[in-house]
Amino acid sequence: MNNKTDMLNSRSLTLIVMAILIELVATFLFLHNRLALALVNTTFTLVILLIVILLLKFSNKNSNELRKDRQRLDHIFDTLDVAIWSHDLKTNTLLITPGIENLYGYSLEKFYQDSTLWKKVIHPEDLKVLEERERILSLGKTVTSIYRIIRSDGEVRWIQDRGIPTVDERGSLIDFCSVLFDITNRKESEDRYRTLVEMSPDIIAVYSRGRIDYINEAGCKLFGASNQKDLIGKPPSKLIHPNILREIKDNELDLDDSKSMMRFEFQANRLNGESIEVEMTTMPIFYEGRAATQIVGRDISDRKRAEHTIQHMAYYDVLTGLPNRNKFRKHLNEVLSQSTNQKHAILFLDLDRFKIINDTKGHTVGDQLLQSVAKRIESAINNKGMVSRQGGDEFIILLENKDTEKVIEVAKSILREFATPFDVDHLEFFVTPSIGISMYPADGEDEETLIKNADTAMYLAKERGKNNYQFYSSKLAELATQKMDIEKWLRRALEKDELKINYQPQIDLETNEIIGVEALLRWHHPEKGMISPADFIPLAEETGLIVPIGKWILKEACLQNKKWQEEGFKPIPIAVNISVRQIQDEEFIESVTRILDEVGLKPNLLDLEITESIMQDIEKSTNVLNQLKKIGLKISIDDFGTGYSSLSYLKHLPIDSIKIDKSFVDDIINHSTKGEMVKTIIDMGHNLNFNVIAEGIEKKEQVEFLKQNQCNIGQGYFYSKPIPVNDLEKLLSRV
Ligand code: C2E
Ligand code: MG
Ligand code: MG
């Protein structure tokens, strides 16, 4: 078959060379059109160049050399996935290079035998490509077609077919040459590449000469275009800010510069004018032979929004929208750093008894209340300072450039704002603030000291009856340190066995018999000596330490009472003081039951003393007390008369006794009313079927008065102080 190649005349050769060169350029442009610069088949290009060189040499050689070169050329054609098909229509001479065998899998003879074989093997779906191709060829124009063939082994391959017609001066087709390449690999990788670009969720676009040359579907969607045509060929100046486009343009020709890749984050516009946040990376490329920019980008609106939210959360309180601790501290630092001779005030505000509302009415109500509180504080400050929420029920306010008088005015106006009740969820709440104030520079020159001192002053406001304001003074600091020390020691007191119980007998005033004992906590500090419960119980309540301490004393008292019975003493109830904080503890009932079980004490020998503050949440307290009553415990209201309760409330509660507070018992001998209040309490108590116990009896006259008014039980130094267990046992009678 090689001798057929010899028949290629010089015209055909020229045509082939031209065809291959055109092919090379076409392939290059074709690839560029699809952004596939990287995909140019370098091997293919090299082979083509080799052929060109050989052909150039070929034209200057003698016949021997010529023959050798032709042989080499034949060899190249034989091994190449390129076939050339030449048909001289005048002489009806058909020439086909042997490469066709590699391409189609049929022998060369088959093509000579059946001149329509080439058409028969074309994939049926691609036959329509031929119709157009033949139309163009008939016009004498060169045409490149791409179609699939089915090889003799059934494999489908992609062929690129460059048809070059020769027409005579009358325009009739006299010669036709076709150059066929197997482009399956290129086509497949190109298809894959195109799919990647088209399906990419990111914007992929090419920008050159001030216009969009290409943009994928994701890009269209991002800019709100329904069709690629809406964008391609158009300037993007309405979508992207001209400054950014200018920067991209300036970067266009820096192809050698490794820094030429650029990143942008900016606000772009969609076609409907809506703005979006976009991130883009641009890279200068050559596109269709021109300097251009390849753009890859994405919509980062969601990320930007999230960033903004995070930023906001870092500096603002989610619940109230007020600046938070971080924002406040930052602002305060800035103000302080710029201050020369000005005075500023820090107001530390803590809500009184908010925790009880939160614990009893639930966090939703608590949260709503805090929101209303924030509004009231803001309205009192009236934009004259920064109000921040520190967390919980604490707020800090900065008043810039204000002297003490002005600060007092503001503090008073805050207190006034709280004078009316808060309406949350159709419930009325009276909440009051305690405000501590520190002044810059007198009470501190830095943010930390100023806040700490305002906090200390706030505690003084709490101690002074709440719902008031107090300025910081250095004496306060000592108090606060003491308090902190106590808290520190108290945490260790339980472990170190420093807590003890003293017992104070409760007496039948008629018979003078001991009919009960009250367990009262004592703290023997190794260095400080005795610390009074009045000093540490409120602190233990504040810190929550009262819960473990309360459990401890409850168990100790029960064990002690059980022991007395085992030792043959007459059974009497033991009274244990319980804080509201303990009642609020979800595990309270369970822990009382467990202790009674473990100790084996009869429930009616345990008397729980609760103060009137439980009335603040009558619903929950009724529930807890009912459950305790069901177990069979005794319940007493301690310090009666000092709290909020009215007797009418008490009648709904399962109470056994009320203990008249010592202050009323004192009135029997000290006050002009001569115990009128005591009389009233005793009468009402008896009416409601409660036992009435008088506390703090110190004098015989008091005993007489109480007896005359039918109060039959009493407790006080007149009979016995609270005493250690051994001393008490001497007083207890045996069965
Ligand atoms: P309380 O429950 O009203 O206890 C009576 C207090 O009055 C005791 O003070 C007692 O020593 C004192 N007292 C009794 N009779 C007289 C008297 O004739 N004259 C005078 N001047 N005082 C008398 P104490 O032991 O200092 O306890 C103070 C408060 O600390 C108790 O008041 C109680 O509320 C609380 N407390 C004591 N122990 C505990 C405890 O274990 N748990 C809880 N939650 N609170 C406790
Ligand atoms: Mg008591
Ligand atoms: Mg009492």
Side-chain angles (χ1 to χ4, degrees):
M1 281 300 139
N2 282 353
N3 60 344
K4 296 258 183 205
T5 325
D6 291 339
M7 289 165 73
L8 287 171
N9 55 27
S10 63
R11 194 166 60 108
S12 300
L13 273 172
T14 321
L15 276 173
I16 293 163
V17 174
M18 269 171 60
I20 289 168
L21 282 172
I22 291 165
E23 196 54 54
L24 187 65
V25 174
T27 307
F28 182 76
L29 289 174
F30 181 80
L31 283 173
H32 269 268
N33 267 340
R34 284 154 185 78
L35 317 172
L37 189 62
L39 287 178
V40 170
N41 186 328
T42 39
T43 324
F44 167 73
T45 313
L46 283 172
V47 169
I48 297 299
L49 283 172
L50 189 67
I51 295 169
V52 174
I53 293 162
L54 280 170
L55 285 171
L56 287 173
K57 275 190 178 175
F58 177 74
S59 53
N60 299 323
K61 304 246 171 113
N62 62 36
S63 61
N64 202 22
E65 283 175 325
L66 212 64
R67 199 174 44 77
K68 270 190 188 162
D69 283 347
R70 278 192 180 175
Q71 274 170 3
R72 285 166 67 192
L73 190 60
D74 286 345
H75 181 69
I76 290 167
F77 277 128
D78 283 355
T79 52
L80 212 57
D81 284 344
V82 177
I84 296 161
W85 180 295
S86 172
H87 196 171
D88 188 333
L89 297 170
K90 267 190 180 163
T91 57
N92 198 21
T93 319
L94 180 65
L95 296 173
I96 309 167
T97 60
I100 200 92
E101 294 187 340
N102 284 346
L103 250 60
Y104 284 69
Y106 291 95
S107 67
L108 199 53
E109 284 97 331
K110 282 251 166 67
F111 286 97
Y112 282 110
Q113 281 158 11
D114 179 358
S115 62
T116 60
L117 177 62
W118 67 274
K119 202 166 182 175
K120 286 179 188 155
V121 298
I122 289 178
H123 195 289
E125 278 176 25
D126 292 348
L127 281 170
K128 55 184 181 304
V129 177
L130 291 188
E131 290 165 24
E132 177 64 5
R133 171 185 167 80
E134 269 156 27
R135 192 184 63 79
I136 299 170
L137 284 174
S138 70
L139 299 173
K141 289 183 185 162
T142 300
V143 63
T144 301
S145 318
I146 292 172
Y147 50 76
R148 282 162 295 175
I149 56 144
I150 303 166
R151 279 167 55 95
S152 61
D153 55 8
E155 198 188 330
V156 176
R157 306 289 297 177
W158 283 95
I159 298 293
Q160 181 180 310
D161 180 347
R162 182 99 180 141
I164 308 143
T166 311
V167 285
D168 63 12
E169 45 293 344
R170 285 187 311 245
S172 318
L173 198 61
I174 48 163
D175 188 286
F176 161 74
C177 182
S178 197
V179 185
L180 305 157
F181 297 88
D182 184 324
I183 56 158
T184 308
N185 292 346
R186 192 191 82 193
K187 184 83 172 74
E188 282 176 356
S189 66
E190 189 195 295
D191 280 353
R192 269 198 300 276
Y193 179 78
R194 189 189 302 115
T195 322
L196 271 178
V197 170
E198 283 299 334
M199 284 173 54
S200 161
D202 287 343
I203 322 161
I204 298 177
V206 176
Y207 171 67
S208 82
R209 294 164 298 159
R211 287 178 305 160
I212 300 170
D213 275 5
Y214 171 80
I215 188 155
N216 67 350
E217 231 179 278
C220 291
K221 226 168 114 188
L222 180 110
F223 289 114
S226 51
N227 202 303
Q228 280 172 314
K229 280 189 206 133
D230 293 348
L231 297 174
I232 291 178
K234 312 233 162 94
S237 43
K238 272 193 187 145
L239 312 174
I240 298 172
H241 196 278
N243 289 351
I244 291 174
L245 293 175
R246 202 167 306 123
E247 255 189 87
I248 294 174
K249 175 110 192 56
D250 291 347
N251 195 43
E252 242 178 21
L253 288 169
D254 296 348
L255 262 181
D256 300 331
D257 188 351
S258 59
K259 282 182 282 178
S260 52
M261 189 156 91
M262 298 204 297
R263 258 198 94 244
F264 299 91
E265 266 187 35
F266 58 92
Q267 218 172 44
N269 293 314
R270 307 185 82 209
L271 286 178
N272 64 5
E274 198 184 310
S275 68
I276 39 168
E277 295 288 343
V278 177
E279 170 194 87
M280 275 184 181
T281 307
T282 63
M283 181 77 183
I285 55 161
F286 274 104
Y287 184 74
E288 292 180 341
R290 277 186 299 270
T293 302
Q294 167 132 25
I295 296 172
V296 177
R298 63 182 64 94
D299 181 353
I300 52 162
S301 305
D302 286 347
R303 194 184 84 198
K304 282 275 170 192
R305 263 192 295 275
E307 275 171 15
H308 185 260
T309 313
I310 291 165
Q311 169 91 354
H312 197 266
M313 274 163 67
Y315 285 117
Y316 290 88
D317 171 48
V318 181
L319 182 68
T320 59
L322 291 176
N324 67 7
R325 173 194 299 256
N326 298 337
K327 173 90 182 163
F328 181 83
R329 287 182 187 229
K330 203 169 155 216
H331 178 66
L332 179 57
N333 271 325
E334 279 163 16
V335 170
L336 295 182
S337 67
Q338 287 156 16
S339 296
T340 44
N341 282 326
Q342 295 115 317
K343 279 183 172 180
H344 310 300
I346 306 294
L347 281 69
F348 198 113
L349 187 152
D350 186 282
L351 298 179
D352 304 326
R353 282 188 280 273
F354 173 75
K355 281 188 184 68
I356 297 181
I357 296 175
N358 209 32
D359 290 349
T360 57
K361 293 286 168 214
H363 290 270
T364 320
V365 169
D367 283 356
Q368 279 172 275
L369 184 61
L370 284 171
Q371 285 168 337
S372 309
V373 163
K375 287 208 185 88
R376 291 220 188 157
I377 301 174
E378 276 194 300
S379 113
I381 301 302
N382 197 17
N383 290 330
K384 291 192 190 98
M386 182 189 258
V387 182
S388 71
R389 180 172 174 229
Q390 296 294 295
D393 57 351
E394 288 175 356
F395 296 83
I396 303 190
I397 300 146
L398 167 67
L399 298 176
E400 281 176 58
N401 218 355
K402 297 264 183 307
D403 57 24
T404 316
E405 272 166 37
K406 281 262 158 46
V407 175
I408 291 174
E409 257 175 49
V410 174
K412 281 184 176 165
S413 74
I414 297 175
L415 294 175
R416 265 200 307 278
E417 279 289 337
F418 283 78
T420 42
F422 288 85
D423 188 354
V424 176
D425 228 7
H426 308 297
L427 294 170
E428 270 199 347
F429 293 97
F430 275 98
V431 184
T432 52
S434 293
I435 306 168
I437 306 167
S438 66
M439 297 293 297
Y440 170 86
D443 302 330
E445 292 190 5
D446 60 88
E447 156 245 313
E448 215 178 308
T449 317
L450 285 164
I451 293 178
K452 195 183 85 206
N453 291 346
D455 189 9
T456 308
M458 187 274 292
Y459 275 101
L460 181 70
K462 291 251 183 224
E463 270 164 29
R464 300 234 166 125
K466 308 184 167 89
N467 196 22
N468 70 104
Y469 63 86
Q470 295 294 331
F471 279 87
Y472 174 81
S473 81
S474 50
K475 273 190 202 138
L476 264 181
E478 285 167 32
L479 269 174
T481 329
Q482 259 177 28
K483 217 168 156 183
M484 267 153 57
D485 283 347
I486 296 183
E487 187 187 333
K488 208 164 60 197
W489 302 328
L490 190 56
R491 285 188 187 277
R492 291 198 326 247
L494 253 181
E495 296 164 26
K496 296 210 161 175
D497 213 17
E498 291 166 11
L499 298 178
K500 296 275 176 300
I501 306 175
N502 270 5
Y503 299 88
Q504 188 177 36
Q506 294 178 336
I507 311 289
D508 181 325
L509 302 183
E510 290 294 337
T511 62
N512 279 351
E513 252 182 274
I514 297 178
I515 53 159
V517 279
E518 180 176 0
L520 291 156
L521 202 51
R522 294 292 175 261
W523 180 11
H524 291 277
H525 189 274
E527 292 148 36
K528 307 283 162 190
M530 265 293 281
I531 301 180
S532 157
D535 288 333
F536 71 85
I537 295 284
L539 196 73
E541 285 171 344
E542 217 174 87
T543 53
L545 277 170
I546 194 68
V547 175
I549 291 176
K551 274 186 199 159
W552 175 83
I553 189 167
L554 198 61
K555 180 145 190 195
E556 285 298 305
C558 289
L559 279 169
Q560 187 56 65
N561 202 4
K562 177 77 183 167
K563 199 163 159 245
W564 284 328
Q565 272 137 70
E566 285 168 357
E567 288 171 4
F569 291 104
K570 203 179 98 188
I572 44 165
I574 189 156
V576 177
N577 293 285
I578 303 292
S579 296
V580 182
R581 183 74 175 69
Q582 287 172 266
I583 304 262
Q584 285 163 352
D585 186 38
E586 295 296 330
E587 291 171 10
F588 180 64
I589 294 173
E590 195 201 315
S591 79
V592 174
T593 321
R594 197 176 340 109
I595 289 171
L596 286 171
D597 269 5
E598 281 170 14
V599 174
L601 183 74
K602 283 197 192 127
N604 64 351
L605 294 179
L606 178 63
D607 185 353
L608 301 185
E609 289 193 10
I610 297 155
T611 57
E612 287 168 274
S613 45
I614 53 148
M615 298 300 160
Q616 282 173 8
D617 185 7
I618 192 90
E619 215 173 287
K620 170 141 193 190
S621 304
T622 313
N623 182 18
V624 174
L625 296 187
N626 280 332
Q627 291 190 57
L628 292 170
K629 197 70 216 158
K630 241 189 230 162
I631 301 170
L633 297 162
K634 290 193 182 310
I635 296 163
S636 304
I637 298 292
D638 202 356
D639 305 339
F640 186 79
T642 54
Y644 316 75
S645 59
S646 74
L647 279 167
S648 58
Y649 263 138
L650 286 184
K651 72 177 173 211
H652 301 295
L653 294 175
I655 290 165
D656 297 279
S657 314
I658 51 171
K659 296 180 79 177
I660 307 174
D661 190 65
K662 182 177 179 298
S663 55
F664 299 105
V665 176
D666 287 347
D667 288 350
I668 297 173
I669 40 176
N670 299 332
H671 201 267
S672 55
T673 54
K674 298 283 177 237
E676 274 309 307
M677 270 303 282
V678 177
K679 259 195 212 170
T680 318
I681 296 172
I682 298 171
D683 283 351
M684 288 177 85
H686 283 154
N687 273 341
L688 292 167
N689 278 332
F690 300 144
N691 294 318
V692 182
I693 304 167
E695 283 190 287
I697 305 174
E698 291 177 345
K699 299 269 162 51
K700 184 138 180 46
E701 295 150 79
Q702 289 167 319
V703 179
E704 294 309 323
F705 180 93
L706 291 163
K707 282 206 285 190
Q708 273 164 26
N709 289 287
Q710 278 79 45
C711 174
N712 305 320
I713 311 166
Q715 188 182 340
Y717 293 178
F718 179 74
Y719 295 99
S720 167
K721 286 194 169 185
I723 45 177
V725 65
N726 297 338
D727 297 340
L728 183 86
E729 283 173 0
K730 288 176 199 151
L731 305 176
L732 289 179
S733 50
R734 303 216 170 232
V735 187

